[in-house]
Amino acid sequence: MSESNPATQPVTQRPTSQKLPDFKQSIKLKYVKLGYHYLITHGMYLFLSPIIVLISAQLSTFSLQDLYNLWEHLRFNLISVILCSTLLAFLATLYFVTRPRPAYLVDFSCYKPEDARKCTRKIFMERSGLTGTFTEENLKFQRKILERSGLGENTYFPEAVLRIPPNPCMAEARKEAETVMFGALDELLAKTNVKPKDIGILIVNCSLFNPTPSLSAMVINHYKLRGNIVSYNLGGMGCSAGLISIDLAKQLLQVHPNSYAVVLSMENITLNWYFGNERSMLVSNCLFRMGGAAILLSNRRGDKRRSKYQLLHAVRTHKGSDDKCFTCVTQHEDSDGKIGVSLSKDLMAVAGDALKANITTLGPLVLPMSEQLLFFATLVGRKLFKMKLKPYIPDFKLAFDHFCIHAGGRAVLDELEKNLQLSDWHMEPSRMTLHRFGNTSSSSLWYELAYTEAKGRIKRGDRLWQIAFGSGFKCNSVVWRAMRTLNPAKEKNPWMDEIHLFPVDVPKVSAL
């Protein structure tokens, strides 16, 4: 549980003097080059496209007499006919071989627990006190975290955690996993009219609960999915595992034609509630809540018209080769033998560095040419010619219409808003998701997108940026383009029956 949030949680709980580093003031050239490397991954496709356009333009100027003369010339020149035919066949083959298959997001669903699972902040503190394991000082510490967390009064906990006394066991953990996964997937299948037997790819991600048989096997068994399904179960990859799953699905859809891929993103709280008194491990108790999401992807061209989004880019940054990054979020036993996830004091610096690397790589793929030229000219002047120029900060609002930033904690959202120069409107989906549902780990990005849809903000052609952090240490981004304008009246998501109540004002400190 905590492993997926660590990348963002500590920000909320560390002293306010610890800010996210101003990652745009120091840009490494290698990440810019990596971005351009991604840009030309399909270089042959980019190379052939203008050639085909030029040939087509030239042929369009030919008259009927010109075409007749060309045909007469080729009729009596066997070598020319063979060469031209071979060239055309070669170019056509290259085009179709190198052309990437589209990855469409047909629809998605977010699980909304029943009202019996709601947990106010007062109930949270009461249950924490009744466990009898926390010292008075640490109960006050948790209260302080809650008051500054940005969480509201309607978040959800699994039954085993709310019970008096708590009942964290394997059976209850399986029950929570099944409730979330099956609840989200049932709704997704109903919305898309896709039959379980049509699913060819299944990817489930959950960081800290990895039973045997696996979670993916539980889904296959429950829905009686076909025997040749390509299934994966990702564990220990943190809050950004949802975007890793999307990238994996994208890669699989490139080699499995005419396929549906389902991604299930969730975290399990039941077995990962920390009952010790090490403060660095108590943060996750206060921020993580119950939730999950199911996403349906397709590479069928027939699904283009009914799909909501097309996947444009997936950029993954992993800093695990650095020991400081690797150890900044670690699951281990405390001095009393109780398992939790500890957060290093270097976490904020590590998160800032990972974010800097990710957006620097992403920039060449998404920024308008005007922004790229200004950014690149400034970078060359500073790095190569040692000119004393003020770093140029690209405006990502020119590249994206909507932002879904992982709702891991209030302070990290504050810092990202400042560093990326975003408005309250851009940050609203993330802040309202944190307030209404808490940190639901890798699924939080989908609650944020559901909020944006419920508000009627998605228009055809809009570009959306999802970004999340994860232990290890990782920072991952995914970019989508809206295929159509979405009518909120026709949407079914967890916000629809209460969207008129949002946004709400969330004070810096909300006393209990």
Side-chain angles (χ1 to χ4, degrees):
M1 173 184 66
S2 303
E3 191 167 315
S4 44
N5 177 52
T8 55
Q9 309 175 342
V11 192
T12 309
Q13 312 313 328
R14 299 285 182 180
T16 55
S17 60
Q18 291 198 2
K19 300 291 185 179
L20 194 70
D22 192 353
F23 46 83
K24 295 167 294 183
Q25 299 301 318
S26 175
I27 301 298
K28 294 185 179 180
L29 189 59
K30 66 177 181 179
Y31 296 122
V32 179
K33 293 192 296 183
L34 184 59
Y36 284 103
H37 169 73
Y38 287 164
L39 185 63
I40 62 173
T41 297
H42 302 290
M44 185 59 69
Y45 174 69
L46 297 174
F47 173 74
L48 289 177
S49 297
I51 293 179
I52 294 173
V53 171
L54 288 174
I55 293 175
S56 301
Q58 185 62 36
L59 289 175
S60 67
T61 64
F62 281 21
S63 64
L64 291 177
Q65 184 62 41
D66 292 332
L67 294 174
Y68 177 78
N69 293 337
L70 179 62
W71 170 250
E72 287 296 319
H73 173 73
L74 293 177
R75 282 180 60 190
F76 303 104
N77 194 332
L78 182 60
I79 297 178
S80 297
V81 171
I82 293 175
L83 289 176
C84 288
S85 300
T86 302
L87 178 61
L88 289 174
F90 175 72
L91 292 176
T93 301
L94 280 179
Y95 174 79
F96 286 107
V97 168
T98 60
R99 183 182 60 173
R101 299 182 191 274
Y104 301 114
L105 193 161
V106 180
D107 211 333
F108 67 97
S109 62
C110 299
Y111 176 68
K112 187 175 184 178
E114 57 187 6
D115 288 345
R117 303 279 74 78
K118 282 187 178 180
C119 178
T120 64
R121 295 181 302 159
K122 181 179 179 181
I123 291 176
F124 174 89
M125 291 306 305
E126 287 178 352
R127 297 295 192 274
S128 295
L130 289 173
T131 62
T133 62
F134 303 116
T135 65
E136 189 62 33
E137 292 75 15
N138 279 334
L139 286 173
K140 292 180 180 178
F141 174 72
Q142 292 181 72
R143 179 187 296 273
K144 184 178 180 181
I145 291 175
L146 279 178
E147 291 176 341
R148 291 162 174 77
S149 66
L151 273 68
E153 302 291 352
N154 293 306
T155 58
Y156 302 93
F157 270 116
E159 182 181 356
V161 174
L162 289 177
R163 187 177 299 166
I164 303 174
N167 182 32
C169 63
M170 182 63 75
E172 288 293 334
R174 285 182 179 274
K175 180 180 177 182
E176 179 193 351
E178 291 174 351
T179 301
V180 173
M181 291 192 302
F182 301 162
L185 191 49
D186 284 346
E187 182 178 311
L188 179 65
L189 295 177
K191 289 167 69 173
T192 59
N193 293 318
V194 170
K195 298 178 181 178
K197 292 291 185 182
D198 293 334
I199 300 172
I201 300 168
L202 173 66
I203 303 170
V204 180
N205 67 265
C206 182
S207 285
L208 295 183
F209 181 55
N210 294 287
T212 300
S214 67
L215 296 175
S216 60
M218 290 165 60
V219 175
I220 292 170
N221 175 261
H222 180 77
Y223 291 95
K224 308 305 177 187
L225 303 184
R226 64 199 203 196
N228 65 341
I229 191 168
V230 179
S231 67
Y232 292 85
N233 198 95
L234 307 183
M237 304 193 78
C239 282
S240 64
L243 299 187
I244 293 174
S245 297
I246 293 295
D247 183 51
L248 175 58
K250 171 191 173 185
Q251 303 302 327
L252 292 171
L253 288 172
Q254 298 303 308
V255 295
H256 293 278
N258 202 36
S259 295
Y260 282 122
V262 166
V263 171
L264 283 167
S265 293
M266 59 166 291
E267 192 51 86
N268 190 281
I269 297 177
T270 299
L271 276 184
N272 296 291
W273 192 257
Y274 176 61
F275 290 95
N277 282 285
E278 189 148 331
R279 292 194 173 185
S280 66
M281 296 182 179
L282 282 171
V283 175
S284 59
N285 285 10
C286 301
L287 294 182
F288 273 101
R289 296 297 186 265
M290 186 180 182
I295 304 97
L296 179 66
L297 300 172
S298 172
N299 59 9
R300 302 184 180 193
R301 295 195 179 274
D303 285 322
K304 180 178 181 180
R305 292 179 62 85
R306 71 168 183 148
S307 295
K308 286 185 172 181
Y309 307 95
Q310 181 176 359
L311 178 58
L312 299 182
H313 307 290
V315 175
R316 294 167 55 179
T317 300
H318 204 305
K319 308 292 288 185
S321 59
D322 184 285
D323 289 342
K324 184 173 70 173
C325 299
F326 177 73
T327 59
C328 72
V329 179
T330 310
Q331 184 184 27
H332 61 84
E333 296 173 333
D334 64 13
S335 57
D336 296 322
K338 296 176 181 177
I339 296 177
V341 176
S342 65
L343 311 173
S344 166
K345 59 182 178 61
D346 298 319
L347 183 57
M348 286 308 300
V350 168
D353 189 50
L355 179 60
K356 176 180 66 177
N358 189 268
I359 68 171
T360 305
T361 302
L362 181 67
L365 301 176
V366 299
L367 288 170
M369 187 56 66
S370 58
E371 289 292 293
Q372 292 199 45
L373 290 175
L374 288 170
F375 172 78
F376 190 73
T378 305
L379 184 64
V380 169
R382 297 178 69 241
K383 298 293 183 179
L384 298 183
F385 299 104
K386 307 300 180 183
M387 299 172 65
K388 295 183 178 180
L389 299 174
K390 183 179 180 181
Y392 180 72
I393 302 173
D395 186 357
F396 279 89
K397 296 189 295 295
L398 297 176
F400 303 112
D401 301 284
H402 310 283
F403 297 78
C404 291
I405 301 169
H406 170 55
R410 178 171 190 159
V412 75
L413 295 180
D414 290 344
E415 289 300 305
L416 282 170
E417 178 181 1
K418 182 180 71 175
N419 276 278
L420 294 176
Q421 300 176 358
L422 302 179
S423 66
D424 291 340
W425 187 87
H426 291 116
M427 299 298 298
E428 186 180 310
S430 298
R431 293 193 186 281
M432 294 305 102
T433 295
L434 181 64
H435 177 79
R436 176 61 181 83
F437 293 97
N439 182 346
T440 59
S441 188
S442 56
S443 66
S444 69
L445 297 172
W446 301 103
Y447 287 90
E448 294 167 19
L449 181 53
Y451 180 91
T452 306
E453 291 183 356
K455 280 293 185 180
R457 297 180 177 182
I458 301 295
K459 309 299 180 185
R460 181 178 180 180
D462 282 0
R463 294 213 291 181
L464 166 79
W465 182 17
Q466 291 180 316
I467 185 166
F469 302 93
S471 55
F473 192 87
K474 301 176 289 292
C475 179
N476 300 316
S477 291
V478 164
V479 179
W480 305 92
R481 181 177 62 228
M483 303 295 292
R484 53 189 171 90
T485 298
L486 300 181
N487 181 359
K490 297 180 179 180
E491 292 301 316
K492 182 180 180 181
N493 71 46
W495 294 95
M496 293 311 303
D497 59 347
E498 53 187 289
I499 191 63
H500 61 282
L501 302 175
F502 294 90
V504 298
D505 179 59
V506 183
K508 294 289 185 182
V509 179
S510 179
L512 278 168

